[in-house]
């Protein structure tokens, strides 16, 4: 260790440093140090231990401060010198100024490839752009979308220009449209091509590349089968049962799509079932054209010892079966003369009514009532049965637009029926609340059922529906389910239940216990069938049709000698000796209206057709039935045979395949 004047050298250096003056310190910096041209940057500095600072050009700038500039593009390093008692210090600051970016643009079509007519969308987006123009110089904005369609096939490419502070750029987008295939129609046909009256037909066809398929009906109105997004598909439609003859109807179907249009043609016809033709000929051989003359005012009767002619309701009472047969045969054959004839008979009945009681309602003389108790008018259930024929005639005609030429007459008849058939007896019988005789319920129910279809009077319509539902349920409760020998059939009691027990028909005129005869039950069966066909009203269902059909097969036909019995009875009672009672002498005569059930049971239909074939009517059942009606049982006289023929004709039309 070296000593000076007794003090070490290290100590001397330490004392010198303790008294040394510091050099300038601090910083110069740009904030921000990196910018884009056009932006500003601020130089900030703060130096201590300095008395002056100068920039690189020698200009005094002070020891602290700031200075903002908007410089041009480039990277620049600036130098600054600051001086003070302790000496000088050199400072540096770096600033980077970048140029503005070029615009970036994205233009694209979607889909890039499609069939002509397909919507195509152009979408675009940009960065660093302030404007964009399409190839035609139109300003379109810096982002957006545009959808269009074109029918011109080929590839199309377009250039778009986008500009911004950094300059301009171009973007290209393209799409390709291929020709759309032409629509096709295939397998256009009706099945069956030729239908019988009462039979439905199904229209089918397939189509491809179509956005709409349609046709025109006979009135020139467009019927659209399909309209929507272009696609491949098929169409199926089933008609209602055909009700009118058609020699040949040609249908042209058109389909349109992006690829154009096409058309295809088919045709169908509607003819009368050969069996129905035969039955119609047999029906007309019964000279129905004379039936209008059967409704007349020439019935001789002696009143108070004086002979005179009267308008007897009995004729229309009997003609109900003929009218019912006419209407069923019309529905089966489309022969409008049959509906016209039913209308003429009903109008004739209306024309012979007279207000004999002065109560504002028309009346008809009744020889059965007069012979029974001397009363001449207001034979209730005779007028009800006559009215049932009028009511069904009105409904069948007004239901059918093809009978428009008869509608005015039918509406006139409707007004008559509502006033002189329904209102008359609704008032006299205190709203029919007490009706319990099953075939009376059937007759009034038939009137209510068919007048309701076209009535415009809300009060009457309410009365019709109430009667059908209320008395219909009472009637349903009178059907005794027979299960003996697995019959699954009904015995129809004469009187609806009083409490919970249906009453029988034991009386001088109807001596058979526990049943009603087949003839009167026909009116009951007819109402049940027609109510079921109208929807059932929550009362009658398909099971009722099955059991009533079995009633014929198991309780009426199938006894020991396989003959029609003219009564409905339990199996144990079917073999009783009927005696001389007139209801049971003409075995098989009273199947009128029961034959309506054949439309629900093919086996029953074959039974009837086989029986008719033994009666010189050239019809053939589809299969030989197991149950046969004895060949010796002849068809009934009067209106009974035409009614059976009409019932069976309609059953054939409705059950054909």
């Amino acid at each position: 260790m070296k000593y000076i004047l007794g003090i070490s050298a290290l100590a001397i250096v330490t004392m010198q440093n303790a008294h040394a003056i510091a050099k300038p310190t601090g910083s110069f910096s740009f904030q921000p140090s990196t910018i884009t041209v056009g932006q500003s940057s601020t130089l900030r500095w703060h130096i201590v231990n300095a008395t002056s600072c100068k920039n690189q050009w020698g200009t005094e700038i002070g020891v602290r401060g700031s200075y903002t500039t908007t410089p041009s593009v480039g990277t620049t390093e600036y130098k600054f010198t600051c001086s003070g008692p302790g000496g000088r210090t050199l400072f540096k600051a770096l600033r980077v100024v970048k140029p503005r970016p070029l615009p970036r643009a994205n233009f694209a079509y979607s889909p890039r490839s499609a069939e002509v007519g397909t919507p195509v969308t152009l979408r675009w987006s940009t960065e660093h752009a302030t404007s964009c123009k399409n190839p035609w110089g139109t300003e379109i904005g810096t982002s957006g979308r545009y959808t269009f369609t074109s029918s011109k096939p080929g590839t199309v490419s377009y250039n778009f220009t986008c500009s911004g502070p950094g300059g301009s750029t171009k973007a290209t987008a393209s799409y390709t449209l291929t020709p759309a295939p032409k629509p096709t129609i295939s397998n256009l046909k009706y099945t069956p091509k030729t239908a019988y009256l009462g039979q439905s037909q199904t229209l089918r066809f397939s189509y491809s590349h179509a956005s709409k398929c349609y046709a025109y009906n006979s009135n020139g109105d467009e019927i659209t089968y399909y309209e929507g997004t272009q696609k491949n598909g098929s169409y199926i439609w089933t008609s209602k049962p055909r009700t009118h003859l058609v020699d040949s109807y040609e249908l042209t179907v058109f389909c349109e799509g992006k690829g154009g249009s096409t058309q295809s043609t088919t045709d169908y016809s509607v003819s009368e079932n050969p069996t129905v033709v035969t039955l119609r000929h047999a029906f007309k051989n019964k000279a129905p054209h004379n039936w209008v003359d059967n409704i007349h005012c020439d019935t001789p009767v002696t009143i108070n010892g004086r002979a005179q002619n009267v308008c007897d309701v009995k004729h229309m009472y009997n003609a109900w079966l003929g009218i019912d047969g006419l209407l069923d045969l019309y529905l089966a054959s489309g022969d409008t003369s049959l509906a016209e004839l039913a209308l003429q008979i009903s109008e004739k009945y209306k024309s012979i009514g007279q207000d004999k009681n002065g109560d504002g309602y028309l009346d008809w003389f009744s020889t059965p009532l007069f012979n029974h108790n001397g009363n001449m008018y207001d034979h209730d259930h005779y007028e009800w049965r006559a009215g049932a024929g009028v009511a069904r005639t009105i409904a069948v005609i007004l239901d059918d637009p093809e009978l428009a030429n008869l509608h005015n007459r039918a509406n006139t008849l409707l007004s008559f029926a509502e006033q002189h058939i329904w209102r008359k007896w609704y008032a006299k019988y205190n709203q029919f609340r007490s009706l319990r005789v099953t075939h009376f319920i059937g007759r009034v129910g038939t009137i209510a059922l068919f007048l309701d279809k076209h009535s415009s009077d809300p009060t009457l319509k309410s009365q019709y529906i109430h009667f059908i539902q209320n008395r219909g349920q009472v009637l349903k409760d009178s059907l005794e389910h027979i299960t003996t020998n697995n019959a699954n059939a009904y015995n129809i009691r004469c009187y609806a239940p009083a409490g919970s027990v249906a009453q029988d028909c034991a009386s001088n005129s109807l001596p058979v216990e526990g049943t009603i005869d087949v003839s009167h039950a026909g009116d009951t069966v007819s109402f049940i069938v027609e109510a079921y066909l109208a929807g059932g009203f929550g009362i009658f269902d398909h099971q009722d049709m099955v059991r009533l059909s079995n009633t014929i097969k198991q309780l009426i036909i199938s006894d020991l000698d396989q003959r029609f019995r003219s009564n409905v009875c339990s199996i144990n009672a079917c073999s009783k000796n009927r005696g001389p009672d007139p209801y049971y002498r003409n075995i098989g005569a009273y199947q009128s209206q029961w034959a309506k059930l054949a439309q629900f049971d093919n086996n029953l239909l074959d039974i009837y057709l086989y029986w008719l074939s033994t009666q010189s009517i050239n019809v053939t059942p589809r299969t030989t039935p197991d149950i046969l009606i004895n060949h010796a049982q002849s068809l009934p006289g009067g209106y009974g045979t035409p009614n059976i023929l009409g019932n069976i004709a309609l059953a054939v039309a409705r059950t054909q395949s």
Side-chain angles (χ1 to χ4, degrees):
M1 172 72 65
K2 184 177 181 179
Y3 289 88
I4 302 174
L5 297 179
I7 302 171
S8 68
L10 178 60
I12 294 173
V13 170
T14 301
M15 287 187 292
Q16 289 177 340
N17 289 341
H19 292 88
I21 298 174
K23 296 176 67 174
T25 60
S27 66
F28 281 79
S29 65
F30 285 98
Q31 298 175 358
S33 62
T34 301
I35 61 173
T36 299
V37 66
Q39 295 179 328
S40 296
S41 179
T42 300
L43 174 66
R44 300 181 187 279
W45 69 94
H46 183 191
I47 307 299
V48 296
N49 302 322
T51 56
S52 72
C53 289
K54 295 181 179 180
N55 61 23
Q56 61 194 36
W57 298 284
T59 303
E60 178 65 44
I61 59 174
V63 297
R64 63 183 300 171
S66 65
Y67 178 68
T68 300
T69 60
T70 304
S72 58
V73 175
T75 299
T76 305
E77 184 180 61
Y78 292 91
K79 297 177 181 179
F80 304 90
T81 302
C82 293
S83 302
R88 292 187 303 171
T89 301
L90 178 65
F91 296 91
K92 296 179 181 180
L94 183 69
R95 182 186 62 206
V96 178
V97 180
K98 296 181 178 181
R100 292 186 179 92
L102 281 171
R104 287 191 293 179
N106 179 34
F107 283 76
Y109 288 99
S110 177
R112 293 191 61 184
S113 180
E115 292 179 357
V116 295
T118 301
V120 176
T121 299
L122 171 66
R123 292 180 175 87
W124 68 96
S125 61
T126 62
E127 293 180 11
H128 314 303
T130 56
S131 70
C132 291
K133 294 182 179 180
N134 62 21
W136 302 278
T138 303
E139 176 65 47
I140 59 174
T142 56
S143 64
R145 59 184 293 169
Y146 171 68
T147 300
F148 62 95
T149 58
S150 174
S151 59
K152 184 177 180 181
T155 299
V156 178
S157 181
Y158 291 114
N159 292 321
F160 301 88
T161 301
C162 292
S163 301
S168 63
T169 189
K170 292 185 180 295
T172 300
S174 63
Y175 64 88
T176 300
L177 295 180
T178 58
K182 187 176 181 179
T184 65
I185 301 172
S186 59
N187 301 318
L188 174 64
K189 63 181 179 180
Y190 281 95
T191 306
K193 183 180 179 66
T194 297
Y196 294 135
L197 284 170
Q199 190 174 13
S200 296
Q201 289 175 296
T202 299
L203 172 66
R204 291 182 173 87
F205 65 90
S206 298
Y207 57 87
S208 64
H209 311 297
S211 56
K212 182 179 181 180
C213 290
Y214 59 96
Y216 295 97
N217 63 18
S218 56
N219 296 324
D221 302 321
E222 182 180 297
I223 303 171
T224 301
Y225 299 133
Y226 170 73
E227 186 170 17
T229 304
Q230 180 165 300
K231 68 172 187 176
N232 301 339
S234 61
Y235 179 81
I236 300 177
W237 170 81
T238 299
S239 72
K240 293 181 180 179
R242 299 299 193 186
T243 57
H244 300 285
L245 299 172
V246 178
D247 288 335
S248 179
Y249 181 85
E250 187 175 89
L251 177 77
T252 300
V253 175
F254 303 87
C255 285
E256 300 173 350
K258 300 171 188 173
S261 62
T262 191
Q263 66 185 63
S264 183
T265 300
T266 188
D267 63 273
Y268 73 87
S269 60
V270 181
S271 63
E272 197 173 350
N273 186 299
T275 299
V276 174
V277 173
T278 300
L279 293 170
R280 183 161 59 90
H281 289 329
F283 187 102
K284 290 195 171 183
N285 285 338
K286 299 298 179 180
H289 56 278
N290 294 328
W291 293 352
V292 177
D293 295 333
N294 292 346
I295 312 301
H296 56 72
C297 295
D298 298 325
T299 301
V301 65
T302 300
I303 303 174
N304 297 326
R306 178 172 171 266
Q308 55 184 286
N309 292 332
V310 296
C311 307
D312 195 349
V313 70
K314 178 178 67 177
H315 302 307
M316 188 66 176
Y317 171 92
N318 292 329
W320 152 238
L321 292 180
I323 290 175
D324 189 59
L326 283 167
L327 297 173
D328 273 4
L329 188 56
Y330 164 68
L331 294 174
S333 69
D335 184 344
T336 57
S337 68
L338 300 169
E340 166 76 25
L341 182 56
L343 181 60
Q344 291 176 9
I345 296 170
S346 298
E347 290 173 330
K348 184 68 174 293
Y349 174 67
K350 168 180 175 288
S351 72
I352 65 173
Q354 303 173 31
D355 183 5
K356 291 292 187 177
N357 302 329
D359 57 4
Y361 299 115
L362 297 180
D363 303 297
W364 293 263
F365 193 94
S366 172
T367 54
L369 184 66
F370 180 70
N371 293 332
H372 175 65
N373 60 17
N375 292 329
M376 294 180 284
Y377 299 98
D378 287 349
H379 196 171
D380 47 18
H381 64 94
Y382 264 62
E383 291 190 19
W384 299 342
R385 195 176 199 237
V390 175
R392 189 172 184 223
T393 298
I394 293 167
V396 170
I397 291 175
L398 293 180
D399 279 347
D400 195 340
E402 296 295 326
L403 296 175
N405 62 313
L406 303 180
H407 284 188
N408 286 340
R409 291 164 60 190
N411 277 313
T412 299
L413 202 61
L414 174 61
S415 298
F416 153 76
E418 294 200 314
Q419 176 67 12
H420 300 288
I421 296 175
W422 184 263
R423 285 193 180 98
K424 172 180 178 178
W425 290 106
Y426 188 83
K428 288 178 181 291
Y429 263 74
N430 190 24
Q431 304 178 11
F432 297 117
R433 290 175 180 172
S434 61
L435 281 189
R436 293 178 49 239
V437 178
T438 53
H439 63 283
F440 289 0
I441 294 175
R443 291 170 184 177
V444 177
T446 299
I447 295 170
L449 179 67
F450 289 114
L451 291 186
D452 174 65
K453 296 191 74 173
H454 297 281
S455 175
S456 59
D457 187 319
T459 299
L460 292 183
K461 287 182 73 67
S462 176
Q463 293 172 7
Y464 299 147
I465 295 300
H466 181 267
F467 183 89
I468 294 168
Q469 293 178 332
N470 180 271
R471 293 292 95 182
Q473 186 60 57
V474 170
L475 175 59
K476 176 72 174 280
D477 294 340
S478 75
L479 304 178
E480 178 189 8
H481 187 201
I482 302 298
T483 59
T484 309
N485 296 337
N486 297 316
N488 189 29
Y490 277 143
N491 175 34
I492 303 178
R493 296 284 188 169
C494 295
Y495 295 95
S500 59
V501 180
Q503 298 179 358
D504 62 31
C505 303
S507 68
N508 290 333
S509 61
L510 299 173
V512 180
E513 297 178 0
T515 182
I516 186 172
D517 63 279
V518 168
S519 175
H520 287 83
D523 292 345
T524 307
V525 169
S526 178
F527 168 63
I528 293 173
V529 168
E530 297 296 345
Y532 168 70
L533 291 172
F537 297 89
I539 303 169
F540 303 109
D541 54 33
H542 185 69
Q543 179 177 256
D544 297 321
M545 304 304 106
V546 171
R547 290 177 177 175
L548 287 171
S549 298
N550 288 340
T551 298
I552 301 172
K553 295 186 291 185
Q554 304 297 332
L555 304 187
I556 299 177
I557 300 175
S558 294
D559 60 1
L560 294 178
D561 56 359
Q562 292 192 330
R563 296 186 177 190
F564 277 116
R565 290 300 186 185
S566 192
N567 70 291
V568 184
C569 55
S570 65
I571 290 177
N572 292 334
C574 278
S575 60
K576 288 184 178 181
N577 182 2
R578 304 306 176 205
D581 189 274
Y583 281 110
Y584 313 110
R585 287 203 299 267
N586 189 359
I587 304 300
Y590 301 115
Q591 282 302 294
S592 301
Q593 300 182 96
W594 284 89
K596 287 178 178 285
L597 292 161
Q599 63 188 286
F600 309 111
D601 187 324
N602 286 335
N603 181 252
L604 181 59
L605 177 57
D606 284 337
I607 291 172
Y608 280 121
L609 290 172
Y610 190 89
W611 179 46
L612 293 176
S613 72
T614 69
Q615 307 297 306
S616 301
I617 298 176
N618 187 24
V619 293
T620 304
R622 282 168 281 197
T623 60
T624 301
D626 295 331
I627 299 172
L628 298 177
I629 300 169
N630 191 296
H631 296 183
Q633 302 309 305
S634 61
L635 287 165
Y639 297 103
T641 292
N643 181 267
I644 292 172
L645 295 174
N647 294 165
I648 297 303
L650 186 56
V652 169
R654 286 180 172 171
T655 60
Q656 58 202 345
S657 60

